[in-house]
Amino acid sequence: MQSLIEFLGQNHVILFLLLFARLSGLFAFFPFFSHMRIPMSVKTAMVLFMAVFLFPQATLPNIDFSVGAIALAIVSEIMLGFIAGIFLLIVFAILQMAGMQVSFIMGFTMASVMDPQSGTSMPIISTFFTLVALVVMLAFNGHHMMIMFIVESLKILPLGDFYPNHGIWDYLVHAVSNMFIFGFILSFPIVGLSLLADIVFGMLMKTMPQFNLLVVGFPIKIMVALIVLIAVLTSIMLIFKREFLEAIEKLTILFI
């Protein structure tokens, strides 16, 4: 009984609280773990299980055990999860940007569906890219890498000791600018061939005025875009894998 009282002392309670806050922030913003289709009760159970499992590896931070200091430490842990989640969500945003451009070219802009990961309305091609990317991420064990990052963060970064440095903001600015560039690069094969099809249809309408673009042109354009999409989908997912692994490596900036 005495050992149980000592285990439930102030130091251990604060340590578990900060560890639970770090895991909550990471699981709330990491891709796949933050999926809207996963019930909140399941997410909470996962965080609680991970907190109990990783509790022996956590160390007590060197802070003043006052209400203000503990509150700042909790905010620091939530900020760590938020920024780490942004690092990886930018990679998925590249696919969403490419999907928006492809949907616009194919005429699927109005065909929006609910994205199960973010819970927002997205073009159907963007949602398709996101779902395929999640499957690819699970195939190369991207979720295991995120869990390993959580474990390594306990060894390198003390609880409540995170503070965003200039390297984080520099990387985020660079990643956001690359998001638009890579989004255009991934959609360029489909966009380029669709523009070429528009030129061909324009020439046909000049030579054959009876050619009905709305009846014949749009189905052909969608068919060509789907064929090209199937042909380049593997390459798109390989680029996604490369960018995701690079983002995982860049997470070490958070420990500097």
Side-chain angles (χ1 to χ4, degrees):
M1 186 66 180
Q2 183 66 26
S3 60
L4 178 61
I5 295 176
E6 293 177 356
F7 182 77
L8 296 177
Q10 173 181 310
N11 294 344
H12 286 166
V13 171
I14 294 176
L15 178 62
F16 185 83
L17 177 63
L18 294 179
L19 177 60
F20 190 85
R22 172 173 293 190
L23 294 173
S24 298
L26 293 172
F27 275 79
F29 298 105
F30 269 172
F32 177 69
F33 296 108
S34 62
H35 204 284
M36 297 294 293
R37 294 298 180 182
I38 300 178
M40 189 60 64
S41 57
V42 175
K43 295 179 183 178
T44 306
M46 290 173 59
V47 173
L48 181 61
F49 172 78
M50 290 292 295
V52 174
F53 184 76
L54 297 176
F55 183 79
Q57 300 188 22
T59 56
L60 194 66
N62 186 19
I63 61 174
D64 182 20
F65 291 158
S66 62
V67 177
I70 295 175
L72 289 176
I74 293 176
V75 171
S76 173
E77 296 301 328
I78 298 298
M79 187 181 300
L80 171 65
F82 175 70
I83 296 178
I86 289 179
F87 274 45
L88 302 180
L89 288 175
I90 288 177
V91 183
F92 285 88
I94 293 175
L95 298 178
Q96 293 177 358
M97 289 289 299
M100 288 180 183
Q101 298 183 33
V102 173
S103 297
F104 179 78
I105 291 296
M106 296 175 63
F108 288 169
T109 307
M110 298 298 294
S112 299
V113 295
M114 185 64 68
D115 183 16
Q117 178 172 339
S118 61
T120 58
S121 181
M122 296 290 294
I124 188 170
I125 303 299
S126 297
T127 305
F128 171 73
F129 281 166
T130 302
L131 294 177
V132 174
L134 280 176
V135 175
V136 172
M137 186 195 72
L138 295 176
F140 65 81
N141 293 326
H143 55 305
H144 292 171
M145 297 177 186
M146 289 184 279
I147 294 177
M148 290 302 299
F149 165 77
I150 296 174
V151 177
E152 291 297 324
S153 69
L154 297 176
K155 300 177 182 178
I156 302 175
L157 186 66
L159 293 171
D161 199 28
F162 172 74
Y163 183 80
N165 53 58
H166 292 288
I168 295 175
W169 306 121
D170 293 339
Y171 173 78
L172 288 178
V173 171
H174 180 71
V176 171
S177 62
N178 284 341
M179 178 182 71
F180 295 96
I181 297 174
F182 275 101
F184 176 75
I185 292 174
L186 295 181
S187 63
F188 181 76
I190 302 171
V191 173
L193 284 177
S194 296
L195 292 177
L196 180 61
D198 289 337
I199 295 174
V200 173
F201 292 152
M203 296 173 61
L204 287 175
M205 291 186 66
K206 285 294 183 180
T207 56
M208 299 188 319
Q210 67 273 17
F211 179 75
N212 193 332
L213 179 62
L214 294 176
V215 176
V216 181
F218 280 149
I220 295 177
K221 190 176 179 181
I222 294 174
M223 181 184 66
V224 171
L226 287 176
I227 293 174
V228 178
L229 177 61
I230 294 172
V232 302
L233 183 60
T234 303
S235 300
I236 291 175
M237 290 301 115
L238 288 176
I239 295 176
F240 162 77
K241 179 181 178 181
R242 185 191 67 188
E243 294 299 318
F244 187 89
L245 295 178
E246 182 179 351
I248 289 287
E249 293 178 0
K250 292 297 183 180
L251 287 176
T252 55
I253 300 176
L254 302 175
F255 304 146
I256 299 176

